């Protein structure tokens, strides 16, 4: 069984920074991509950022581009999200996810961690 565990969330004032971490444990696997998603109250889960390990290619949602940076270690299936210039609209539960090689979907998900940005 694979577990993804997020940490680093919390309460921060607008303009502040947080760094989220996601660590994999349990059964080992090879991931081709890891990502962060978020879900705000009353809204659907949305994509935030992802990294494709082959070539370290990164993608970001337009709403976070230039403020958030995704990084990590594919050998450890660990991914980080550095969040700078936080805005109240970034308030959400943030989830990390992992995509195994040869699989189309993000199969493994963390439990989520709360990020709250006060104005």
């Amino acid at each position: 069984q694979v577990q993804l565990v997020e940490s680093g969330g919390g309460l921060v004032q607008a303009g502040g920074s947080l760094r989220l971490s996601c660590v994999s444990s349990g059964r080992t696997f090879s991931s081709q991509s890891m990502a962060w998603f978020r879900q705000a109250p009353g809204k659907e889960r949305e994509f935030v950022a992802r990294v494709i390990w082959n070539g370290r290619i990164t993608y970001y949602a337009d709403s976070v581009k230039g403020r958030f940076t995704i990084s990590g270690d594919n050998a450890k299936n660990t991914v980080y999200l550095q969040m700078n210039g936080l805005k109240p609209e970034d308030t959400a539960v943030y989830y990390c996810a992992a995509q195994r090689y040869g699989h189309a979907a993000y199969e493994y998900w963390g439990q989520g961690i709360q990020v709250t940005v006060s104005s």
Side-chain angles (χ1 to χ4, degrees):
Q1 185 176 357
V2 172
Q3 291 182 324
L4 299 181
V5 180
E6 302 99 337
S7 62
L11 173 64
V12 64
Q13 289 188 335
S17 298
L18 284 174
R19 185 176 188 248
L20 303 183
S21 299
C22 173
V23 179
S24 172
S25 64
R27 184 169 60 86
T28 58
F29 67 99
S30 294
S31 64
Q32 66 181 34
S33 172
M34 293 189 73
W36 289 94
F37 293 78
R38 68 186 182 186
Q39 187 168 18
K43 296 187 177 181
E44 293 187 354
R45 188 175 298 186
E46 64 176 4
F47 165 78
V48 175
R50 69 172 171 140
V51 56
I52 299 174
W53 297 124
N54 189 4
R56 296 271 173 174
I57 301 171
T58 57
Y59 298 91
Y60 297 92
D62 288 342
S63 58
V64 307
K65 202 171 293 184
R67 300 187 296 123
F68 290 10
T69 302
I70 188 170
S71 63
D73 183 341
N74 60 311
K76 298 179 180 179
N77 288 324
T78 298
V79 68
Y80 307 101
L81 187 67
Q82 178 66 44
M83 305 185 293
N84 298 328
L86 283 162
K87 304 175 181 180
E89 50 264 44
D90 294 317
T91 295
V93 176
Y94 284 70
Y95 300 88
C96 69
Q99 178 187 25
R100 284 196 294 167
Y101 268 108
H103 291 247
Y106 284 95
E107 184 175 351
Y108 302 125
W109 291 82
Q111 291 296 311
I113 191 162
Q114 179 69 46
V115 171
T116 303
V117 184
S118 63
S119 57

